[in-house]
Amino acid sequence: MHRLGVFHQDVKVENILLGKDGLFKLCDFGSCSSERIDLEQVSKSKMYHYEERFEKNTTLMYRPPEMIDLYLKYPIDDRVDVWMLGCVLFVLNYHFHPFQEEGKLSIVNASIKYKANH
């Protein structure tokens, strides 16, 4: 997808299926976009539009900091999928989500509470 200039924007465990052929497949492409967003260049009303869109179409626990706090003005592009994939890999490895019981501030600060005995 990324080679085609498209990013998923809602990569999560629930959107990864195991096919009959033994291959994993990504599903639910309703949040896909090819729009690379430079928040340094958008108006306040457009910022609200993006905020609403992300709230509606992405899952908070997997959402990267740049999609939570738009005022950081980080670019929003295919790298959001990399953050989300990192969360998926964390869940698969440790059997709990790094931000499951945390809020937006924890995600923005990338503050993970690791349960050593889990």
Side-chain angles (χ1 to χ4, degrees):
M1 287 177 54
H2 290 181
R3 276 185 258 168
L4 297 172
V6 177
F7 36 105
H8 192 276
Q9 294 188 334
D10 200 24
V11 177
K12 58 185 176 180
V13 172
E14 297 85 350
N15 285 342
I16 300 173
L17 307 174
L18 179 58
K20 291 180 183 179
D21 55 5
L23 297 175
F24 290 97
K25 301 174 189 245
L26 191 58
C27 68
D28 189 2
F29 297 94
S31 59
C32 284
S33 178
S34 60
E35 180 184 13
R36 297 178 181 280
I37 304 168
D38 180 1
L39 293 171
E40 295 281 350
Q41 306 298 320
V42 300
S43 67
K44 195 167 240 180
S45 65
K46 194 71 170 168
M47 196 89 98
Y48 292 133
H49 164 76
Y50 288 129
E51 193 169 45
E52 271 183 46
R53 187 173 103 191
F54 299 149
E55 285 289 328
K56 180 181 174 188
N57 297 319
T58 64
T59 305
L60 177 61
M61 287 190 316
Y62 292 89
R63 201 177 303 151
E66 57 267 36
M67 292 175 86
I68 289 177
D69 185 355
L70 302 184
Y71 295 95
L72 292 171
K73 300 204 179 209
Y74 295 147
I76 297 174
D77 53 26
D78 55 346
R79 291 175 283 190
V80 301
D81 287 350
V82 175
W83 172 280
M84 293 174 178
L85 180 60
C87 291
V88 167
L89 294 174
F90 190 98
V91 170
L92 293 175
N93 193 45
Y94 297 109
H95 308 286
F96 68 94
H97 195 284
F99 304 108
Q100 188 162 340
E101 298 173 14
E102 307 300 324
K104 291 180 177 182
L105 188 59
S106 182
I107 296 170
V108 169
N109 292 324
S111 176
I112 298 172
K113 293 183 180 168
Y114 175 72
K115 302 173 188 174
N117 294 331
H118 194 75

